[in-house]
Amino acid sequence: AATLAQGSHAWPWRCSDVAAAHSVLLELVASCTAFARRATIGAWSAFTPRRHRQVAMGATTSSTVDARVTDRKSLIKELCLRRKDYEAMQHSYKVEEIIPHQARNPRHAQVLQEAELKAPEICKGDENSLVFMEAGLLPKVAEFLFGGALIRCFEVCPLWFVVYYKTLDQIFKDIDKGFKSYYGQSLHLEYARMDWSPVHVAEAGIRIDRILIARVTNVHVGRCTKVSYSYGYKVPGQAAQEDEPRDPYQCAFKFDTYGRGRPRNFWIHKDICRFHGDETRVAATQNITPVCVNDRIEIAVNLFNATGLVDVTKLRWHPLEVFPIQTRECPIEQELFDWYDLDSFQSQSVERLQIPDFFSPQLVHCSTEYAGIDVAVSRTRLRAEAQGVVPQADRILGSRFEVLPRSSPIILPLKRVGLQHDRFAKIQLRQNDSISLYISQGGKMT
């Protein structure tokens, strides 16, 4: 690392053309990778927090809720900063080293301001900080590395984790400001953070999102609310064209707002039919999420996916849209009409059926009915009672469920309109909430 730092002090200021800059950044990628491989466990082993308390969202009163406590990455950053002031260890221009303190005056201040941009020899940092991590340069480096290479930088040491995380917050702060300006009255933005997760496809991929956590106010109680934005992707080496569509892509989220603390009811559909093969088989949840006043919603603004990197300058929030609330039922209800109990249906079905009472004591089984011909469908009513994480939910439904106290606000991740699955996030329930669980099984092999 020391050799890399000494040999890299001058390179950012000597790149006179695009080709040279591109070549240097390619060398930077290789250097970062090599540095990450050589980094010892000692850099992270020094970070051992004395206390690690796991606090669930909603475990406290609604007035003291901290929306950050459920996010592992934000928690790591906060614990790192408690250990050391890593932000102060980042490379920066030490202009105070040019002129003695007693010689400073307004004229010298102007000299210092000019030197801050022209003197690479005064750009210094502490251990594990490299010259390209200076605050003015790192956003350009992060944009070049965006994707899997950038995520690898978070794994080097606590200093890199804190500094890169802070840089991403700065790059995408305009997204937060736009959200506040459009939806500040009905959705109070409490916290914004970065998140990344693997994409489970044939070739391993990654998605990076800006997560906005907002508190739902009582402005639109009894209404369905739509939040939407348009965006475009960065095209390397291509300037914006005048005939380019203004809103090439659009994304929307919908949710129904109810009174504070009201019991919610939503559906989940688990499809385990034979003709699906070896797919992930994660249960699909209701696309339009029911929320209550004072609950928190998570809106994921996708920034990086298999298509590429989103151009933040093209991202535009749209005005809030409000609609009447409608009855939300699982689409499979439109295909089935006659429902029977287990004994009556089992006599006319070749499938091995059972009552899906797998989630007690957190989710108590109320009733189960069956319908269908070649595909057997069960409809189960579950009610949230005991507090705590539902042990079997992750294995059976493919999602994590947690039951919180009846008076507690909860965080609800919203799905993009039109998607059956979006982010794999924990689903929080309150005591007395109800779930309609549909399970489809059977069918012929194709």
Side-chain angles (χ1 to χ4, degrees), residues 265-269 330 379-382 434-438:
N265 183 19
F266 64 97
W267 57 263
I268 300 174
H269 182 211
C330 183
R379 180 177 63 187
T380 302
R381 308 293 185 186
L382 302 172
S434 299
I435 296 178
S436 297
L437 172 62
Y438 297 84

Side-chain angles (χ1 to χ4, degrees), residues 76-312:
I76 291 175
K77 176 187 174 182
E78 291 184 1
L79 292 177
C80 285
L81 290 174
R82 290 181 191 175
R83 186 76 180 184
K84 288 184 180 180
D85 187 6
Y86 287 105
E87 293 181 352
M89 300 168 63
Q90 181 182 3
H91 260 72
S92 60
Y93 293 100
K94 310 297 182 181
V95 294
E96 65 275 4
E97 299 181 6
I98 299 179
I99 300 177
H101 291 274
Q102 63 273 16
R104 292 181 180 174
N105 56 42
R107 180 183 175 186
H108 291 160
Q110 182 179 359
V111 174
L112 292 176
Q113 186 176 5
E114 296 175 357
E116 186 177 0
L117 300 175
K118 299 179 181 179
E121 64 273 6
I122 65 171
C123 186
K124 299 179 181 180
D126 290 354
E127 183 182 6
N128 287 340
S129 180
L130 302 179
V131 65
F132 59 81
M133 296 173 65
E134 190 273 327
L137 180 63
L138 191 55
K140 299 179 178 61
V141 175
E143 181 178 334
F144 182 81
L145 297 175
F146 223 92
L150 178 62
I151 303 307
R152 294 293 295 175
C153 292
F154 285 88
E155 304 172 4
V156 174
C157 64
L159 170 65
W160 282 44
F161 187 96
V162 171
V163 171
Y164 274 89
Y165 201 98
K166 181 183 71 172
T167 300
L168 294 183
D169 284 339
Q170 295 173 351
I171 294 175
F172 302 111
K173 62 183 179 181
D174 289 342
I175 297 178
D176 311 342
K177 293 180 181 178
F179 183 89
K180 288 181 179 179
S181 63
Y182 273 89
Y183 313 120
Q185 292 185 347
S186 57
L187 298 175
H188 177 67
L189 183 63
E190 291 190 340
Y191 186 64
R193 59 180 175 86
M194 299 300 301
D195 190 28
W196 53 87
S197 56
V199 178
H200 302 283
V201 291
E203 296 182 4
I206 192 170
R207 61 175 291 177
I208 302 178
D209 302 272
R210 183 67 171 172
I211 308 298
L212 307 179
I213 301 178
R215 178 173 57 84
V216 180
T217 65
N218 60 358
V219 176
H220 298 298
V221 175
R223 307 283 283 178
C224 174
T225 306
K226 178 181 177 181
V227 175
S228 60
Y229 66 90
S230 58
Y231 62 98
Y233 289 97
K234 282 184 175 292
V235 180
Q238 180 180 345
Q241 302 294 330
E242 294 184 358
D243 57 349
E244 181 181 357
R246 181 174 179 83
D247 300 329
Y249 302 96
Q250 292 190 5
C251 180
F253 304 85
K254 284 185 177 181
F255 60 93
D256 294 333
T257 305
Y258 296 95
R260 184 171 180 173
R262 174 177 170 177
R264 302 177 306 126
N265 183 19
F266 64 97
W267 57 263
I268 300 174
H269 182 211
K270 173 74 171 180
D271 192 341
I272 55 175
C273 294
R274 298 186 186 93
F275 45 75
H276 286 311
D278 297 327
E279 294 180 359
T280 307
R281 293 182 178 179
V282 177
T285 56
Q286 185 170 312
N287 192 275
I288 300 179
T289 306
V291 305
C292 295
V293 173
N294 209 44
D295 284 346
R296 275 65 175 176
I297 58 173
E298 280 189 355
I299 297 178
V301 180
N302 185 248
L303 302 171
F304 181 83
N305 52 48
T307 304
L309 175 63
V310 171
D311 190 345
V312 181

Side-chain angles (χ1 to χ4, degrees), residues 315-335:
L315 194 145
R316 300 285 185 273
W317 291 101
H318 296 169
L320 194 72
E321 298 181 53
V322 181
F323 310 93
I325 286 185
Q326 301 178 358
T327 302
R328 311 296 181 190
E329 65 176 10
C330 183
I332 203 169
E333 285 276 9
Q334 302 175 5
E335 305 173 3

Side-chain angles (χ1 to χ4, degrees), residues 358-379:
F358 311 125
F359 311 107
S360 58
Q362 286 77 22
L363 300 179
V364 176
H365 176 269
C366 298
S367 64
T368 300
E369 300 171 294
Y370 300 87
I373 303 177
D374 57 334
V375 174
V377 179
S378 64
R379 180 177 63 187

